[in-house]
Amino acid sequence: MSEQTPRRVRRRPHRRWQRVVLIVLGSTAVVLIASIVVIAVIVHRLNTPEAVPKSWRAPTVLPASTQPGIPAGSLVFDSNRTGNYEIWTMNANGDDERHLTDDRAYDSWWAQLSPNRRTILFYRTPRGTHDRDYSKTSLWAMAANGADQVELRPAGLDGWVYQGHAEWSPDGRRLVMFGGSRLNPQIWITNDLGGNPTEVTHRGGSNIDPSWAPDGRTMAFVGCPSSVCLPRDQEIYVIPDTGGAATRITYDSLQDDDPAFSHDGRELAWLTKVGGGSLGVGTWNIRLLPVKTTGGTISVVRGVHPTFLVKANGDAIDSKPAWSLNDKTIYFHRAVGGLKSGFQIWAINVNGSDLRELTKGEPGSNEYPGTYA
């Protein structure tokens, strides 16, 4: 009986392809897991607040100049004409400029004059940062003559990753500001020293740029209709200082920022991106809208639509409006023809007439005028 020669079994080609597919799937899974881990680490770092310096102590007294402080009719602003951003004052015509802060390690900006004109709030960030990273901001106060500078809120206080846009209440006893995480900051009220924060909003998306109404019971802010909050989704809302439901003011699908009430409470001014799409700096203008207050509730006058303040805006970048005390003038900073030459401070009558540059010929960028003048 003869032995049979064993057959050779050919490997089927599809088994090779199975191995290739398994290798590709395995490699893809590894890359996907690694990407998820990297993203998680980045998100964690982005949402980790700065460490509050162990040497920081909460202030117990607000610095203030003796009467009369900053003269009525004066403006506070920031300028980098000396190399880094510092706080300055000038009168409403752009004359009599005075230098208040001088610390080359920081950019000092967003000066806000108290209603009694004796104290100035401002933010500080590491030099070269300016207003481009709200995770680095610390809130400060000083006497209106620049003396007694004190840190009210260091970066990272209360676990906030972001903080900014602090403004005085009409009676000067409280501050409103935004704070919290990068993707979901909320509106908060603190005492005049920046302490004991109380949350006003509890909404999805980004809630920023708060501003008091003159009644001291209501505020405007910028928010989004949904938790997915792209710049073009930013709209103006109002809300009681006790919180609750927010009332939407704008429905324009344009990026709106920095609302500010007139002192008589009859008009609301804010910024709108009017050109340039969702990318790039674009073109900005200030808009005005009459509002009415009934029983502490602010609403839009029916049938009235926002109007542009600067009629021949061109390609200018107009920024945060600040009302004069008599509500006849709005101050703002403006860049014409791009950002290469920086911003300058301008003024315009509320009816859109007499547009004028107050810091014409001054070096550097001059920004964020603030006034109770």
Side-chain angles (χ1 to χ4, degrees), residues 7-302:
R7 291 182 177 180
R8 291 183 180 181
V9 179
R10 293 185 178 182
R11 295 182 181 272
R12 295 181 180 179
H14 73 273
R15 291 183 179 178
R16 296 179 182 177
W17 284 109
Q18 286 178 344
R19 292 179 60 187
V20 171
V21 170
L22 289 174
I23 292 172
V24 171
L25 290 176
S27 301
T28 302
V30 170
V31 171
L32 181 60
I33 293 171
S35 299
I36 292 173
V37 171
V38 170
I39 291 172
V41 170
I42 293 174
V43 169
H44 176 71
R45 289 183 177 179
L46 290 176
N47 282 296
T48 300
E50 294 282 314
V52 177
K54 294 182 178 180
S55 59
W56 179 80
R57 296 292 181 271
T60 58
V61 178
L62 194 68
S65 297
T66 57
Q67 294 286 9
I70 296 286
S74 296
L75 306 176
V76 290
F77 66 102
D78 59 83
S79 175
N80 67 351
R81 64 185 68 181
T82 59
N84 61 302
Y85 284 92
E86 302 286 3
I87 306 301
W88 294 67
T89 65
M90 65 180 178
N91 65 29
N93 293 323
D95 300 327
D96 195 24
E97 295 176 319
R98 299 184 182 185
H99 196 179
L100 297 185
T101 62
D102 188 11
D103 191 327
R104 299 303 176 90
Y106 297 96
D107 287 332
S108 297
W109 52 281
W110 188 265
Q112 299 290 308
L113 185 61
S114 64
N116 64 10
R117 302 194 302 277
R118 298 176 58 197
T119 303
I120 297 173
L121 287 178
F122 63 101
Y123 281 108
R124 271 187 170 161
T125 45
R127 178 174 177 162
T129 306
H130 193 217
D131 58 1
R132 294 185 296 274
D133 187 350
Y134 284 92
S135 70
K136 304 293 185 183
T137 55
S138 56
L139 181 63
W140 290 67
M142 62 181 171
N145 61 3
D148 303 325
Q149 297 173 18
V150 60
E151 188 175 24
L152 302 183
R153 293 189 58 86
L157 187 64
D158 295 313
W160 293 1
V161 177
Y162 266 16
Q163 67 169 332
H165 214 284
E167 293 193 3
W168 300 93
S169 63
D171 62 6
R173 296 179 180 179
R174 297 182 293 170
L175 307 177
V176 67
M177 63 192 72
F178 70 77
S181 68
R182 287 177 182 266
L183 296 179
N184 187 219
Q186 302 294 333
I187 307 301
W188 300 76
I189 292 175
T190 72
N191 60 25
D192 60 353
L193 292 168
N196 300 324
T198 300
E199 191 175 32
V200 178
T201 59
H202 190 71
R203 308 173 71 252
S206 182
N207 303 278
I208 56 175
D209 296 359
S211 182
W212 291 95
D215 63 4
R217 300 164 55 190
T218 317
M219 60 195 64
F221 71 97
V222 172
C224 291
S226 66
S227 295
V228 178
C229 192
L230 300 175
R232 66 172 180 269
D233 300 322
Q234 292 179 187
E235 305 285 359
I236 307 298
Y237 291 79
V238 294
I239 192 171
D241 64 344
T242 53
T247 301
R248 186 171 171 178
I249 298 297
T250 59
Y251 290 82
D252 52 26
S253 299
L254 297 171
Q255 184 175 347
D256 296 312
D257 286 304
D258 292 318
F261 285 97
S262 60
H263 290 87
D264 63 11
R266 296 177 180 177
E267 286 193 276
L268 186 62
W270 70 90
L271 299 180
T272 296
K273 188 174 185 179
V274 295
S278 59
L279 299 176
V281 177
T283 301
W284 294 75
N285 202 336
I286 296 171
R287 291 200 290 174
L288 297 172
L289 181 67
V291 294
K292 60 181 179 180
T293 303
T294 305
T297 301
I298 295 174
S299 59
V300 176
V301 178
R302 182 174 296 180

Side-chain angles (χ1 to χ4, degrees), residues 280-359:
V281 177
T283 301
W284 294 75
N285 202 336
I286 296 171
R287 291 200 290 174
L288 297 172
L289 181 67
V291 294
K292 60 181 179 180
T293 303
T294 305
T297 301
I298 295 174
S299 59
V300 176
V301 178
R302 182 174 296 180
V304 178
H305 301 285
T307 59
F308 290 110
L309 177 62
V310 185
K311 308 305 180 186
N313 178 253
D315 62 351
I317 304 167
D318 297 334
S319 196
K320 184 184 183 299
W323 294 80
S324 63
L325 186 58
N326 62 11
D327 291 331
K328 293 182 178 180
T329 302
I330 288 180
Y331 303 97
F332 59 103
H333 62 262
R334 186 173 208 239
V336 181
L339 296 176
K340 292 182 179 180
S341 59
F343 289 96
Q344 297 300 328
I345 296 175
W346 294 64
I348 190 172
N349 294 341
V350 176
N351 63 8
S353 66
D354 196 18
L355 176 65
R356 53 204 184 272
E357 185 177 356
L358 302 183
T359 53

